[in-house]
Amino acid sequence: MHAITGITGKVGGAAARALLASGHKVRAVVRDADKARPWAALGCEVAVAEMEDADALARAFADCTGVFVLPPPCFDPLPGFPEARAVIAAVRQALEAARPARVVCLSTVGAQATQPNLLSQRSLMEEGLSPLPLPLALLRPAWFLDNLAWDVAPARERGVLPGFLQPLERPVPMVSTLDVGRVAAELLQEDWQGRRVVELEGPARVTQHEIAATFARVLGRPVQAEAVPRQTWGALFREQGMRDPVPRIQMLDGFNEGWIAFEGDAASVRKGRVTLEEVIRQLVAG
């Protein structure tokens, strides 16, 4: 039995489907039992637990061989990341109580960076779980290709790809959530001891110009990548409803300045299978 948190999202769902396809039992850990009905129909057990509720999580993780920890995203955190810290404390307590044979935790590229930024929430999770006396795999994927969903409308309507990753001609490691979920499922089926870091990117690194050209090919219209001036980011993010855009700006700076990057060398980074064009075609189809 493998407990999957975040199963209603893309990564957790991909991990669960891969495990089910391999003949494994899956326990869907959800906040809302109604959202688990499709998974129950596929034969999954269902456990209801908030990610901040240690007791409920311990029950959800009980008698499981593996647990996939997928921290809920928080794109506009309060100062000091109290939301992430509450989840970390609960997950750590639950794992200490349940003692599964292995744990896979979704982290991020650049989790080893010491500079504060939006992804520091994942760094805190790594720090919180690493001391546990359990086999722990920290899965650090690259920038999600699925984030391009935000760019479908401007590409289709205005022929523009707003570029926050700069310079536009720099190849950036990106990966599909399908690959992330598949690799998470593979790790849950492996045996290891201690703490391991697994870094993951897609089959090829891509520039913003290549992304624009792929949108153009899929949409059948010209699409141009345009750099969004950094001095406008704060106002843009506030217009989108963010209370504090600084962590997000720091994250983008980290990618653009190179201090959010893989810790290992290129040969040690796993490669996914899903291409940029496959992801864009799926996003455009809706």
Side-chain angles (χ1 to χ4, degrees):
M1 178 68 73
H2 298 284
I4 307 296
T5 66
I7 196 169
T8 58
K10 289 187 175 182
V11 173
R17 284 188 289 271
L19 287 167
L20 290 169
S22 298
H24 290 272
K25 296 179 180 178
V26 170
R27 183 175 295 158
V29 184
V30 295
R31 294 173 181 263
D32 182 348
D34 287 341
K35 293 185 177 180
R37 287 179 180 173
W39 294 103
L42 293 175
C44 295
E45 288 189 11
V46 175
V48 178
E50 298 282 344
M51 290 297 286
E52 303 85 2
D53 187 336
D55 291 337
L57 286 175
R59 291 190 294 270
F61 299 163
D63 303 318
C64 284
T65 301
V67 172
F68 182 39
V69 177
L70 201 163
C74 183
F75 299 111
D76 193 15
L78 293 169
F81 307 116
E83 304 93 343
R85 292 181 188 276
V87 170
I88 293 164
V91 169
R92 181 175 60 230
Q93 183 177 333
L95 291 172
E96 287 175 336
R99 295 296 180 103
R102 65 190 67 90
V103 178
V104 177
C105 178
L106 183 66
S107 185
T108 179
V109 59
Q112 77 282 359
T114 57
Q115 298 93 323
N117 71 94
L118 190 62
L119 302 181
S120 297
Q121 298 171 90
R122 298 295 181 259
S123 306
L124 292 169
M125 177 67 81
E126 289 196 6
E127 293 170 8
L129 300 189
S130 289
L132 289 173
L134 300 168
L136 172 67
L138 301 168
L139 179 55
R140 295 180 180 175
W143 185 284
F144 284 177
L145 281 166
D146 303 64
N147 290 335
L148 294 172
W150 296 97
D151 300 309
V152 172
R156 176 184 280 134
E157 297 164 10
R158 298 187 285 113
V160 171
L161 176 76
F164 292 90
L165 297 176
Q166 303 169 12
L168 301 178
E169 63 272 14
R170 179 170 57 86
V172 177
M174 298 186 180
V175 68
S176 165
T177 53
L178 292 176
D179 278 327
V180 180
R182 175 183 57 80
V183 171
E186 291 174 355
L187 293 173
L188 285 168
Q189 298 170 75
E190 296 176 3
D191 288 318
W192 74 91
Q193 295 298 317
R195 174 186 181 275
R196 62 190 293 203
V197 172
V198 179
E199 298 182 307
L200 175 66
E201 64 176 303
R205 298 186 178 189
V206 295
T207 70
Q208 298 299 292
H209 293 304
E210 289 169 336
I211 293 171
T214 305
F215 266 117
R217 187 162 55 251
V218 172
L219 293 171
R221 63 152 300 164
V223 179
Q224 180 87 24
E226 294 183 357
V228 181
R230 187 186 182 282
Q231 64 269 23
T232 68
W233 293 355
L236 285 172
F237 297 157
R238 286 191 180 91
E239 287 174 6
Q240 294 170 2
M242 294 190 73
R243 296 165 300 186
D244 181 9
V246 171
R248 184 176 176 185
I249 292 172
Q250 291 170 327
M251 177 191 71
L252 291 168
D253 285 343
F255 279 102
N256 293 341
E257 295 169 7
W259 49 266
I260 291 181
F262 288 127
E263 190 171 23
D265 58 30
S268 68
V269 177
R270 290 201 189 192
K271 295 294 183 73
R273 305 169 185 167
V274 182
T275 66
L276 168 67
E277 183 159 338
E278 288 176 294
V279 172
I280 288 180
R281 287 192 180 279
Q282 187 270 330
L283 293 175
V284 166

